[in-house]
Amino acid sequence: MSNKLIIAAAGSGKTTHLVNEALKVTDGKVIITTYTEANEKEIVKKFYKLNGCVPDNITIQTWFSFLIQHGVKPYQSVIYNGKVKGLLLVNEKSGFRFRGWNGQPVYFGEDDPKNHYFSKSQLIYSDKLSKFVVKANELTDGKVIKRIGKIYSHIFIDEIQDMAGYDLEIIKLLFSLDSNVLLVGDPRQVTYHTHDEAKHKKYTNGNIKEFVENECSELSVDIDDTTLNKTYRNNQPICEFANSIYSNFKPCEYIEHLPTGHDGVFFVSPTDVDAYLSIYQPMQLRDTRRTSVNSMYSAMNLGESKGLTFERVLIYPTSKMLDWMLDHSKEMKPQSKSKFYVGVTRAKHSVAIVFNNKNGITIPGIINFTL
Protein backbone atom coordinates (compact mmCIF):
# COMPACT_ATOMS: atom_id res chain seq x y z
CA MET A 1 0.00 0.00 0.00
CA SER A 2 1.32 3.45 -0.90
CA ASN A 3 -0.33 6.73 0.13
CA LYS A 4 1.26 10.08 -0.59
CA LEU A 5 0.50 13.80 -0.31
CA ILE A 6 2.64 16.02 -2.54
CA ILE A 7 2.78 19.71 -1.66
CA ALA A 8 3.32 21.38 -5.04
CA ALA A 9 4.56 24.88 -5.77
CA ALA A 10 2.90 27.08 -8.38
CA GLY A 11 4.33 26.38 -11.84
CA SER A 12 6.11 23.20 -10.73
CA GLY A 13 4.62 20.94 -13.40
CA LYS A 14 1.99 19.33 -11.19
CA THR A 15 -0.24 18.18 -14.04
CA THR A 16 2.73 16.79 -15.95
CA HIS A 17 3.80 14.84 -12.88
CA LEU A 18 0.32 13.39 -12.38
CA VAL A 19 0.05 12.32 -16.00
CA ASN A 20 3.50 10.74 -16.02
CA GLU A 21 2.72 8.81 -12.82
CA ALA A 22 -0.55 7.57 -14.33
CA LEU A 23 1.19 6.46 -17.52
CA LYS A 24 3.51 4.23 -15.46
CA VAL A 25 0.52 2.10 -14.40
CA THR A 26 0.05 -0.82 -16.79
CA ASP A 27 -1.35 -3.49 -14.46
CA GLY A 28 -4.41 -1.78 -13.02
CA LYS A 29 -7.00 0.96 -13.42
CA VAL A 30 -6.35 4.60 -12.57
CA ILE A 31 -8.83 7.32 -11.61
CA ILE A 32 -7.67 10.94 -11.74
CA THR A 33 -10.17 13.27 -10.16
CA THR A 34 -10.12 17.02 -9.60
CA TYR A 35 -12.54 19.70 -8.45
CA THR A 36 -13.11 21.90 -11.51
CA GLU A 37 -14.12 21.02 -15.06
CA ALA A 38 -11.42 23.40 -16.30
CA ASN A 39 -8.72 21.39 -14.55
CA GLU A 40 -10.23 18.14 -15.82
CA LYS A 41 -9.82 19.48 -19.37
CA GLU A 42 -6.23 20.54 -18.65
CA ILE A 43 -5.38 17.01 -17.51
CA VAL A 44 -6.91 15.52 -20.68
CA LYS A 45 -4.93 18.01 -22.80
CA LYS A 46 -1.72 17.04 -21.03
CA PHE A 47 -2.32 13.35 -21.79
CA TYR A 48 -2.74 14.14 -25.49
CA LYS A 49 0.40 16.28 -25.44
CA LEU A 50 2.57 13.71 -23.67
CA ASN A 51 1.05 10.45 -24.88
CA GLY A 52 -1.19 11.19 -27.85
CA CYS A 53 -4.25 9.78 -26.07
CA VAL A 54 -5.74 8.84 -22.71
CA PRO A 55 -5.05 5.10 -22.20
CA ASP A 56 -8.04 2.79 -21.71
CA ASN A 57 -7.06 2.00 -18.12
CA ILE A 58 -7.18 5.68 -17.06
CA THR A 59 -10.36 7.60 -16.19
CA ILE A 60 -10.44 11.36 -15.68
CA GLN A 61 -13.43 12.80 -13.81
CA THR A 62 -14.41 15.80 -11.76
CA TRP A 63 -14.71 15.10 -8.04
CA PHE A 64 -18.47 15.61 -8.08
CA SER A 65 -18.96 13.20 -11.01
CA PHE A 66 -16.73 10.64 -9.32
CA LEU A 67 -18.75 10.83 -6.09
CA ILE A 68 -22.10 10.51 -7.85
CA GLN A 69 -21.02 7.54 -9.98
CA HIS A 70 -19.11 5.61 -7.34
CA GLY A 71 -20.35 7.00 -4.06
CA VAL A 72 -24.06 7.66 -4.56
CA LYS A 73 -25.47 5.43 -7.30
CA PRO A 74 -24.28 1.95 -6.18
CA TYR A 75 -25.75 2.04 -2.65
CA GLN A 76 -28.03 5.06 -2.56
CA SER A 77 -31.09 3.03 -1.53
CA VAL A 78 -29.80 2.73 2.04
CA ILE A 79 -30.59 6.45 2.34
CA TYR A 80 -32.89 7.37 -0.56
CA ASN A 81 -35.11 5.26 -2.82
CA GLY A 82 -35.84 7.94 -5.41
CA LYS A 83 -33.99 8.60 -8.64
CA VAL A 84 -30.92 10.84 -8.43
CA LYS A 85 -31.20 13.07 -11.47
CA GLY A 86 -27.93 14.95 -11.13
CA LEU A 87 -26.16 17.64 -9.12
CA LEU A 88 -27.31 21.06 -8.00
CA LEU A 89 -24.41 23.44 -7.37
CA VAL A 90 -25.08 25.65 -4.37
CA ASN A 91 -22.98 28.41 -2.84
CA GLU A 92 -24.77 28.51 0.51
CA LYS A 93 -26.19 25.99 2.97
CA SER A 94 -28.82 23.86 1.26
CA GLY A 95 -32.06 22.27 2.45
CA PHE A 96 -33.79 25.47 3.58
CA ARG A 97 -37.14 24.74 5.24
CA PHE A 98 -38.47 28.01 6.71
CA ARG A 99 -37.54 30.95 8.87
CA GLY A 100 -38.19 30.70 12.59
CA TRP A 101 -39.87 33.26 14.79
CA ASN A 102 -36.58 35.13 15.21
CA GLY A 103 -35.93 35.23 11.46
CA GLN A 104 -33.23 32.56 11.62
CA PRO A 105 -33.32 29.90 8.86
CA VAL A 106 -34.41 26.37 9.71
CA TYR A 107 -33.13 23.49 7.56
CA PHE A 108 -34.31 19.94 6.88
CA GLY A 109 -32.43 17.43 9.02
CA GLU A 110 -31.01 14.01 8.21
CA ASP A 111 -34.25 12.41 9.44
CA ASP A 112 -35.79 13.73 6.21
CA PRO A 113 -33.18 12.59 3.65
CA LYS A 114 -35.29 13.49 0.63
CA ASN A 115 -35.30 17.18 1.55
CA HIS A 116 -31.98 17.21 3.41
CA TYR A 117 -29.90 15.94 0.48
CA PHE A 118 -32.06 16.72 -2.55
CA SER A 119 -33.86 19.56 -4.27
CA LYS A 120 -37.48 19.25 -5.40
CA SER A 121 -36.09 18.25 -8.82
CA GLN A 122 -34.25 15.29 -7.23
CA LEU A 123 -30.85 16.90 -7.74
CA ILE A 124 -28.39 16.20 -4.94
CA TYR A 125 -27.03 19.37 -3.34
CA SER A 126 -23.31 19.88 -3.98
CA ASP A 127 -22.66 20.74 -0.31
CA LYS A 128 -24.25 17.46 0.84
CA LEU A 129 -22.80 15.12 -1.79
CA SER A 130 -19.72 13.93 0.10
CA LYS A 131 -21.74 13.68 3.33
CA PHE A 132 -24.23 11.37 1.53
CA VAL A 133 -21.32 9.16 0.40
CA VAL A 134 -19.87 8.94 3.91
CA LYS A 135 -23.27 8.10 5.43
CA ALA A 136 -23.99 5.47 2.75
CA ASN A 137 -20.59 3.93 3.43
CA GLU A 138 -21.36 3.75 7.16
CA LEU A 139 -24.75 2.12 6.55
CA THR A 140 -23.26 -0.53 4.24
CA ASP A 141 -20.37 -1.46 6.52
CA GLY A 142 -17.83 0.20 4.22
CA LYS A 143 -19.03 -1.30 0.94
CA VAL A 144 -19.04 2.05 -0.91
CA ILE A 145 -15.34 2.69 -0.36
CA LYS A 146 -14.37 -0.98 -0.71
CA ARG A 147 -16.03 -1.06 -4.13
CA ILE A 148 -13.95 1.91 -5.29
CA GLY A 149 -10.82 0.09 -4.15
CA LYS A 150 -11.79 -3.00 -6.14
CA ILE A 151 -12.24 -0.94 -9.30
CA TYR A 152 -9.16 1.30 -9.09
CA SER A 153 -5.68 0.22 -8.09
CA HIS A 154 -4.52 3.84 -8.24
CA ILE A 155 -6.51 6.87 -7.07
CA PHE A 156 -5.06 10.28 -7.92
CA ILE A 157 -6.69 13.45 -6.54
CA ASP A 158 -5.55 16.77 -7.99
CA GLU A 159 -6.06 20.25 -6.48
CA ILE A 160 -6.39 18.63 -3.06
CA GLN A 161 -6.36 22.05 -1.40
CA ASP A 162 -9.93 22.63 -2.69
CA MET A 163 -11.34 19.72 -0.70
CA ALA A 164 -13.28 20.45 2.49
CA GLY A 165 -15.66 18.98 5.06
CA TYR A 166 -16.79 15.43 4.30
CA ASP A 167 -14.47 15.35 1.25
CA LEU A 168 -11.62 15.00 3.74
CA GLU A 169 -13.43 12.15 5.47
CA ILE A 170 -13.70 10.34 2.13
CA ILE A 171 -9.98 10.84 1.53
CA LYS A 172 -9.25 9.35 4.94
CA LEU A 173 -11.38 6.33 4.02
CA LEU A 174 -9.55 5.95 0.68
CA PHE A 175 -6.24 5.83 2.54
CA SER A 176 -7.44 2.63 4.25
CA LEU A 177 -7.67 0.78 0.91
CA ASP A 178 -5.01 -1.39 -0.71
CA SER A 179 -5.07 1.06 -3.64
CA ASN A 180 -2.27 3.57 -4.18
CA VAL A 181 -3.65 7.00 -3.26
CA LEU A 182 -1.82 10.12 -4.47
CA LEU A 183 -2.93 13.61 -3.46
CA VAL A 184 -1.39 16.64 -5.17
CA GLY A 185 -2.00 20.33 -4.61
CA ASP A 186 -0.74 23.68 -3.42
CA PRO A 187 -2.25 24.70 -0.04
CA ARG A 188 -1.34 28.31 -0.86
CA GLN A 189 -3.90 28.36 -3.70
CA VAL A 190 -7.22 27.88 -1.89
CA THR A 191 -9.37 30.23 -3.95
CA TYR A 192 -12.38 27.88 -4.00
CA HIS A 193 -13.85 25.16 -1.78
CA THR A 194 -15.94 22.21 -2.90
CA HIS A 195 -18.41 23.25 -0.20
CA ASP A 196 -18.71 25.00 3.16
CA GLU A 197 -19.14 22.47 5.94
CA ALA A 198 -18.58 22.53 9.70
CA LYS A 199 -16.93 19.10 9.66
CA HIS A 200 -13.12 19.37 9.70
CA LYS A 201 -13.50 23.18 9.61
CA LYS A 202 -10.06 23.75 11.10
CA TYR A 203 -8.46 22.06 8.09
CA THR A 204 -9.87 24.45 5.50
CA ASN A 205 -7.75 27.30 4.09
CA GLY A 206 -4.87 25.10 3.01
CA ASN A 207 -4.38 22.92 6.09
CA ILE A 208 -4.39 19.61 4.22
CA LYS A 209 -0.95 18.69 5.58
CA GLU A 210 -2.22 19.16 9.13
CA PHE A 211 -5.28 17.03 8.34
CA VAL A 212 -3.10 14.18 7.14
CA GLU A 213 -0.75 14.49 10.11
CA ASN A 214 -3.51 14.70 12.74
CA GLU A 215 -6.42 12.67 11.37
CA CYS A 216 -4.61 10.05 9.29
CA SER A 217 -1.65 9.33 11.55
CA GLU A 218 -2.50 5.61 11.76
CA LEU A 219 -2.79 5.16 7.98
CA SER A 220 0.81 5.60 6.79
CA VAL A 221 0.79 8.59 4.44
CA ASP A 222 4.02 10.01 3.05
CA ILE A 223 4.12 13.83 2.92
CA ASP A 224 6.41 15.07 0.14
CA ASP A 225 7.20 18.79 -0.07
CA THR A 226 10.34 18.35 -2.21
CA THR A 227 9.46 16.62 -5.50
CA LEU A 228 7.33 19.50 -6.85
CA ASN A 229 8.95 22.41 -5.02
CA LYS A 230 10.65 24.01 -8.04
CA THR A 231 8.83 26.50 -10.26
CA TYR A 232 9.46 26.47 -13.99
CA ARG A 233 7.20 29.49 -14.48
CA ASN A 234 8.43 32.32 -12.24
CA ASN A 235 11.81 34.03 -12.39
CA GLN A 236 13.90 34.59 -9.26
CA PRO A 237 12.44 37.91 -8.00
CA ILE A 238 8.84 36.76 -8.53
CA CYS A 239 9.57 33.43 -6.84
CA GLU A 240 11.20 35.14 -3.85
CA PHE A 241 8.32 37.61 -3.51
CA ALA A 242 5.80 34.74 -3.65
CA ASN A 243 7.78 32.93 -0.94
CA SER A 244 7.45 35.98 1.31
CA ILE A 245 3.63 35.79 1.13
CA TYR A 246 3.75 32.31 2.72
CA SER A 247 6.88 32.48 4.83
CA ASN A 248 5.73 29.47 6.92
CA PHE A 249 6.07 27.17 3.88
CA LYS A 250 9.23 25.60 2.57
CA PRO A 251 10.61 28.21 0.11
CA CYS A 252 9.93 27.38 -3.51
CA GLU A 253 13.01 27.05 -5.74
CA TYR A 254 13.28 28.49 -9.23
CA ILE A 255 14.83 27.82 -12.61
CA GLU A 256 17.06 30.53 -14.07
CA HIS A 257 15.28 32.64 -16.72
CA LEU A 258 16.82 34.65 -19.52
CA PRO A 259 16.33 38.38 -18.75
CA THR A 260 13.86 40.32 -20.88
CA GLY A 261 14.79 43.86 -19.84
CA HIS A 262 11.74 44.19 -17.60
CA ASP A 263 11.83 41.52 -14.94
CA GLY A 264 10.66 41.28 -11.34
CA VAL A 265 8.01 42.89 -9.14
CA PHE A 266 7.05 46.54 -9.59
CA PHE A 267 4.87 49.24 -8.07
CA VAL A 268 3.06 51.15 -10.82
CA SER A 269 1.33 54.46 -10.11
CA PRO A 270 -2.36 54.65 -11.12
CA THR A 271 -1.44 57.55 -13.44
CA ASP A 272 1.04 55.31 -15.28
CA VAL A 273 -1.22 52.26 -15.64
CA ASP A 274 -2.47 53.05 -19.16
CA ALA A 275 1.05 53.64 -20.45
CA TYR A 276 2.30 50.49 -18.71
CA LEU A 277 -0.47 48.43 -20.30
CA SER A 278 0.40 49.83 -23.72
CA ILE A 279 4.11 49.04 -23.37
CA TYR A 280 4.07 45.61 -21.69
CA GLN A 281 0.59 44.17 -22.44
CA PRO A 282 0.14 42.40 -19.09
CA MET A 283 -2.97 40.48 -18.06
CA GLN A 284 -4.94 42.61 -15.61
CA LEU A 285 -5.88 40.72 -12.44
CA ARG A 286 -8.49 42.09 -10.04
CA ASP A 287 -10.25 40.94 -6.89
CA THR A 288 -13.80 41.14 -8.33
CA ARG A 289 -15.55 42.48 -11.41
CA ARG A 290 -16.42 45.57 -9.39
CA THR A 291 -12.76 46.61 -9.50
CA SER A 292 -12.19 49.29 -12.13
CA VAL A 293 -9.72 48.26 -14.86
CA ASN A 294 -8.79 49.46 -18.34
CA SER A 295 -11.47 47.88 -20.54
CA MET A 296 -9.22 48.14 -23.60
CA TYR A 297 -7.04 45.31 -22.26
CA SER A 298 -7.75 41.77 -21.08
CA ALA A 299 -8.71 41.28 -17.44
CA MET A 300 -9.87 38.50 -15.13
CA ASN A 301 -10.47 37.88 -11.44
CA LEU A 302 -7.55 36.69 -9.35
CA GLY A 303 -9.32 33.47 -8.35
CA GLU A 304 -10.20 32.63 -11.94
CA SER A 305 -6.57 32.88 -13.02
CA LYS A 306 -5.50 29.82 -11.00
CA GLY A 307 -3.75 27.28 -13.21
CA LEU A 308 -2.94 29.82 -15.94
CA THR A 309 0.37 31.28 -17.08
CA PHE A 310 1.03 34.77 -18.47
CA GLU A 311 4.16 36.54 -19.61
CA ARG A 312 3.29 39.50 -17.36
CA VAL A 313 0.51 40.50 -14.98
CA LEU A 314 -0.81 43.76 -13.54
CA ILE A 315 -2.53 43.32 -10.17
CA TYR A 316 -5.10 45.72 -8.73
CA PRO A 317 -4.60 44.88 -5.03
CA THR A 318 -7.17 45.17 -2.25
CA SER A 319 -6.44 47.48 0.68
CA LYS A 320 -5.52 44.46 2.83
CA MET A 321 -3.00 43.26 0.26
CA LEU A 322 -1.41 46.70 0.21
CA ASP A 323 -1.39 46.87 4.00
CA TRP A 324 0.55 43.61 4.11
CA MET A 325 3.07 44.75 1.50
CA LEU A 326 3.79 47.90 3.48
CA ASP A 327 3.92 46.07 6.81
CA HIS A 328 4.38 42.29 6.86
CA SER A 329 3.26 42.13 10.50
CA LYS A 330 -0.28 42.80 9.27
CA GLU A 331 -2.28 39.72 8.34
CA MET A 332 -4.31 39.11 5.20
CA LYS A 333 -7.39 36.94 5.50
CA PRO A 334 -6.74 33.40 4.17
CA GLN A 335 -8.68 33.80 0.92
CA SER A 336 -7.14 37.22 0.17
CA LYS A 337 -3.71 35.76 0.84
CA SER A 338 -4.36 32.85 -1.52
CA LYS A 339 -5.72 35.13 -4.25
CA PHE A 340 -2.69 37.41 -4.00
CA TYR A 341 -0.31 34.46 -4.15
CA VAL A 342 -2.15 33.03 -7.16
CA GLY A 343 -1.98 36.39 -8.96
CA VAL A 344 1.73 36.88 -8.31
CA THR A 345 2.65 33.35 -9.42
CA ARG A 346 0.83 33.57 -12.76
CA ALA A 347 3.64 35.65 -14.29
CA LYS A 348 6.83 34.46 -15.94
CA HIS A 349 8.69 37.77 -16.25
CA SER A 350 7.04 40.64 -14.37
CA VAL A 351 4.39 41.39 -11.75
CA ALA A 352 3.15 44.99 -11.62
CA ILE A 353 1.11 46.10 -8.61
CA VAL A 354 -0.97 49.26 -8.83
CA PHE A 355 -0.02 51.57 -5.93
CA ASN A 356 0.20 55.32 -5.57
CA ASN A 357 3.63 55.39 -3.98
CA LYS A 358 3.79 59.19 -3.78
CA ASN A 359 6.11 59.05 -0.78
CA GLY A 360 8.65 56.87 -2.58
CA ILE A 361 8.47 54.08 -0.03
CA THR A 362 11.10 51.41 -0.60
CA ILE A 363 9.93 47.82 -0.19
CA PRO A 364 12.48 44.99 -0.42
CA GLY A 365 11.87 42.97 -3.55
CA ILE A 366 9.66 45.61 -5.23
CA ILE A 367 10.92 48.15 -7.78
CA ASN A 368 9.22 51.53 -8.14
CA PHE A 369 8.40 51.73 -11.84
CA THR A 370 8.99 54.98 -13.71
CA LEU A 371 8.31 55.81 -17.33
Side-chain angles (χ1 to χ4, degrees):
M1 182 174 65
S2 177
N3 299 319
K4 179 181 283 190
L5 165 65
I6 298 181
I7 306 296
S12 61
K14 173 172 60 65
T15 304
T16 299
H17 180 81
L18 268 177
V19 170
N20 284 331
E21 288 299 303
L23 289 172
K24 292 177 183 178
V25 180
T26 57
D27 59 348
K29 289 188 176 182
V30 182
I31 177 73
I32 304 177
T33 180
T34 186
Y35 175 32
T36 66
E37 291 181 356
N39 201 49
E40 177 193 21
K41 291 175 182 176
E42 285 300 311
I43 294 169
V44 172
K45 283 171 59 178
K46 186 64 70 172
F47 266 102
Y48 277 94
K49 181 178 180 180
L50 297 179
N51 192 59
C53 68
V54 178
D56 290 339
N57 68 320
I58 297 173
T59 300
I60 305 165
Q61 268 185 313
T62 64
W63 179 245
F64 288 150
S65 296
F66 170 69
L67 292 185
I68 289 175
Q69 180 179 348
H70 295 291
V72 176
K73 293 294 182 70
Y75 296 100
Q76 70 178 56
S77 61
V78 298
I79 296 177
Y80 177 65
N81 284 318
K83 184 176 182 180
V84 180
K85 295 184 178 180
L87 179 77
L88 179 61
L89 286 169
V90 295
N91 54 18
E92 58 186 4
K93 187 174 180 179
S94 63
F96 175 78
R97 188 174 182 183
F98 60 81
R99 291 198 176 275
W101 65 269
N102 58 355
Q104 293 300 307
V106 177
Y107 298 91
F108 288 103
E110 292 180 55
D111 58 339
D112 185 351
K114 179 179 178 181
N115 290 302
H116 180 69
Y117 290 105
F118 297 91
S119 71
K120 292 180 180 179
S121 303
Q122 294 178 282
L123 301 173
I124 191 166
Y125 295 122
S126 60
D127 67 327
K128 302 276 180 60
L129 176 55
S130 55
K131 179 180 179 180
F132 187 101
V133 175
V134 170
K135 297 299 180 182
N137 189 66
E138 291 173 356
L139 293 169
T140 58
D141 193 28
K143 285 185 172 64
V144 174
I145 296 299
K146 289 174 184 175
R147 178 180 178 275
I148 293 172
K150 289 179 179 179
I151 297 171
Y152 297 109
S153 62
H154 292 72
I155 302 168
F156 295 171
I157 304 176
D158 194 13
E159 302 291 0
I160 189 63
Q161 74 277 356
D162 294 332
M163 304 299 172
Y166 279 92
D167 293 334
L168 299 179
E169 195 65 20
I170 292 172
I171 289 164
K172 182 179 178 180
L173 291 168
L174 293 175
F175 281 149
S176 67
L177 297 172
D178 290 334
S179 304
N180 297 280
V181 180
L182 173 62
L183 315 179
V184 183
D186 184 353
R188 291 156 289 202
Q189 298 190 58
V190 185
T191 56
Y192 303 106
H193 280 137
T194 49
H195 63 286
D196 188 21
E197 169 62 52
K199 189 172 185 65
H200 295 314
K201 193 75 172 180
K202 63 182 178 180
Y203 298 118
T204 56
N205 299 317
N207 294 324
I208 184 64
K209 180 180 178 182
E210 289 76 10
F211 172 77
V212 170
E213 290 174 334
N214 298 336
E215 307 296 332
C216 309
S217 58
E218 299 178 359
L219 295 171
S220 183
V221 183
D222 178 31
I223 299 176
D224 178 355
D225 62 359
T226 302
T227 299
L228 294 177
N229 192 47
K230 182 177 290 185
T231 178
Y232 296 89
R233 179 189 297 142
N234 313 133
N235 60 24
Q236 179 180 354
I238 295 174
C239 181
E240 291 177 349
F241 184 72
N243 285 338
S244 72
I245 300 172
Y246 282 93
S247 57
N248 58 318
F249 275 72
K250 183 176 182 178
C252 173
E253 301 172 9
Y254 59 89
I255 301 295
E256 290 290 346
H257 284 53
L258 292 174
T260 68
H262 182 70
D263 307 278
V265 183
F266 300 84
F267 276 145
V268 176
S269 170
T271 57
D272 293 335
V273 164
D274 290 347
Y276 187 90
L277 286 166
S278 176
I279 297 169
Y280 296 109
Q281 306 285 311
M283 170 60 74
Q284 298 177 97
L285 299 178
R286 63 202 173 192
D287 185 43
T288 69
R289 292 182 182 275
R290 294 190 297 272
T291 305
S292 178
V293 300
N294 187 322
S295 60
M296 299 294 292
Y297 298 88
S298 298
M300 65 170 43
N301 292 350
L302 287 161
E304 295 171 344
S305 70
K306 186 168 71 171
L308 302 178
T309 298
F310 303 106
E311 299 294 306
R312 308 178 188 280
V313 301
L314 174 72
I315 298 174
Y316 295 84
T318 64
S319 59
K320 295 299 182 182
M321 293 172 188
L322 280 174
D323 287 345
W324 174 83
M325 281 185 282
L326 299 175
D327 182 357
H328 284 7
S329 68
K330 294 184 177 180
E331 282 290 324
M332 285 185 277
K333 289 184 178 181
Q335 191 170 59
S336 292
K337 196 172 184 179
S338 286
K339 285 182 178 180
F340 190 46
Y341 175 84
V342 166
V344 168
T345 56
R346 296 312 92 199
K348 293 169 63 175
H349 306 302
S350 65
V351 175
I353 300 166
V354 180
F355 173 52
N356 187 11
N357 194 5
K358 57 186 178 182
N359 296 322
I361 299 169
T362 300
I363 304 294
I366 303 180
I367 302 166
N368 290 312
F369 173 79
T370 55
L371 288 170

